[in-house]
Amino acid sequence: MIARALTRKGTALVKMAKCSKDYEPAIETFQKALTEHRNPDTLKRLNDAEKAKKDLEQQEYFDPKIADEEREKGNECFKQQKYPEAVKHYTESLRRNPKDPKAYSNRAACYTKLGALPEGLKDAEKCIELDPTFSKGYTRKGAVQFFMKEYDKALETYQEGLKHDANNQELLDGVRRCVEQINKANRGDLSPEELKERQAKAMQDPEIQNILSDPVMRQVLIDFQENPKAAQEHTKNPMVMNKIQKL
């Protein structure tokens, strides 16, 4: 009964809330109710209240003007090679305006300089998601993938960017660098250490794992070793050849 009364009180407080801080007493009341009796409905109301509070906080914090100022501060730090400081400014810029692809692009560049490649890749992908026509997103993503030695993926990224900006020199240079590395591997110019590293990285790639676990592709690989006539037929299938090229 106490839990039910507290839940009703929390619900009333939610309905009275006009700003993010107004949700705090409601959340506290729902939490007290759950200590008395763990009711699924009360738990849902608590989760809803916490989400509403977070959404309102973001709305209240939203300020494109301050976001632009913080991004410019980050740019100055980047020019001075103060990358950790630049990340802080770009992060604050994104808190003020989470929909700015430029800030994601710039922070991705910082993360790349700092060697935080997974974070850089995530920011570059978010940049592309927000604005698929913004070429910097593709150059950032391609650069991260190149540094991760995922040359095929980097090549795909640069080529995707060229669809939106066909004459972009950074994208064209990225394609050239990737093709050079891919051709180097195809010629067998890799050192034993490079070959071992590339094989290990490939085996961790989910796409490669899916290809190798595909019964059809396993048979294709067997045919390439044991049945030249069947192998010739496989080469006529663009999908099969694309997977072989990836391998």
Side-chain angles (χ1 to χ4, degrees):
M1 289 180 68
I2 293 173
R4 192 179 301 126
L6 287 169
T7 299
R8 288 176 179 173
K9 178 182 177 182
T11 303
L13 289 168
V14 165
K15 290 181 179 179
M16 293 166 62
K18 294 180 180 179
C19 66
S20 59
K21 284 190 175 182
D22 289 345
Y23 279 91
E24 291 175 4
I27 289 170
E28 184 179 347
T29 302
F30 286 135
Q31 290 170 338
K32 287 180 179 178
L34 288 169
T35 62
E36 296 291 341
H37 177 64
R38 195 158 184 83
N39 183 284
D41 177 64
T42 304
L43 182 60
K44 182 180 182 305
R45 290 172 189 266
L46 170 63
N47 292 336
D48 290 344
E50 289 175 335
K51 183 179 183 303
K53 179 177 182 289
K54 184 177 179 181
D55 291 344
L56 264 181
E57 282 176 340
Q58 290 180 339
Q59 292 175 26
E60 292 163 358
Y61 206 69
F62 181 80
D63 191 325
K65 184 179 178 181
I66 295 178
D68 290 343
E69 292 172 357
E70 288 294 327
R71 191 180 70 244
E72 287 303 317
K73 290 178 183 177
N75 292 346
E76 288 301 316
C77 289
F78 187 88
K79 290 175 185 176
Q80 297 171 29
Q81 299 183 0
K82 298 178 180 178
Y83 303 122
E85 291 86 346
V87 167
K88 290 179 183 177
H89 287 297
Y90 292 138
T91 300
E92 179 61 21
S93 175
L94 288 167
R95 288 185 65 204
R96 293 289 184 175
N97 183 8
K99 302 294 184 182
D100 181 12
K102 292 180 182 178
Y104 276 109
S105 168
N106 295 354
R107 194 171 69 172
C110 278
Y111 281 138
T112 304
K113 291 287 187 182
L114 292 167
L117 300 181
E119 290 83 355
L121 181 62
K122 185 177 179 181
D123 272 4
E125 289 176 337
K126 184 65 177 179
C127 173
I128 293 171
E129 177 190 325
L130 290 171
D131 186 357
T133 65
F134 187 44
S135 59
K136 279 291 184 183
Y138 298 96
T139 59
R140 304 300 191 208
K141 182 178 178 181
V144 172
Q145 291 170 321
F146 188 89
F147 286 129
M148 294 172 77
K149 299 184 179 181
E150 296 177 346
Y151 303 120
D152 289 305
K153 292 183 178 180
L155 179 60
E156 289 177 8
T157 298
Y158 288 129
Q159 289 173 332
E160 185 64 29
L162 287 169
K163 293 178 183 178
H164 304 283
D165 190 358
N167 298 316
N168 185 286
Q169 194 57 51
E170 281 188 87
L171 294 171
L172 292 169
D173 289 342
V175 168
R176 177 183 54 77
R177 289 195 304 271
C178 290
V179 170
E180 286 176 357
Q181 290 296 327
I182 292 169
N183 287 341
K184 180 181 177 182
N186 291 341
R187 291 194 304 267
D189 292 343
L190 298 175
S191 67
E193 292 77 15
E194 287 176 321
L195 182 60
K196 187 175 181 180
E197 182 183 0
R198 182 166 292 193
Q199 288 172 339
K201 186 176 286 290
M203 292 307 295
Q204 294 173 358
D205 189 324
E207 192 173 7
I208 297 297
Q209 292 174 357
N210 287 337
I211 293 173
L212 292 175
S213 63
D214 183 349
V216 174
M217 285 305 300
R218 285 209 300 268
Q219 184 58 50
V220 168
L221 295 175
I222 291 171
D223 288 342
F224 265 88
Q225 291 180 315
E226 302 175 358
N227 192 339
K229 187 175 180 180
Q232 283 185 339
E233 290 299 315
H234 293 315
T235 60
K236 298 176 184 177
N237 186 325
M239 190 176 296
V240 168
M241 286 308 298
N242 182 48
K243 290 182 178 181
I244 290 172
Q245 181 61 38
K246 287 187 182 295
L247 290 176

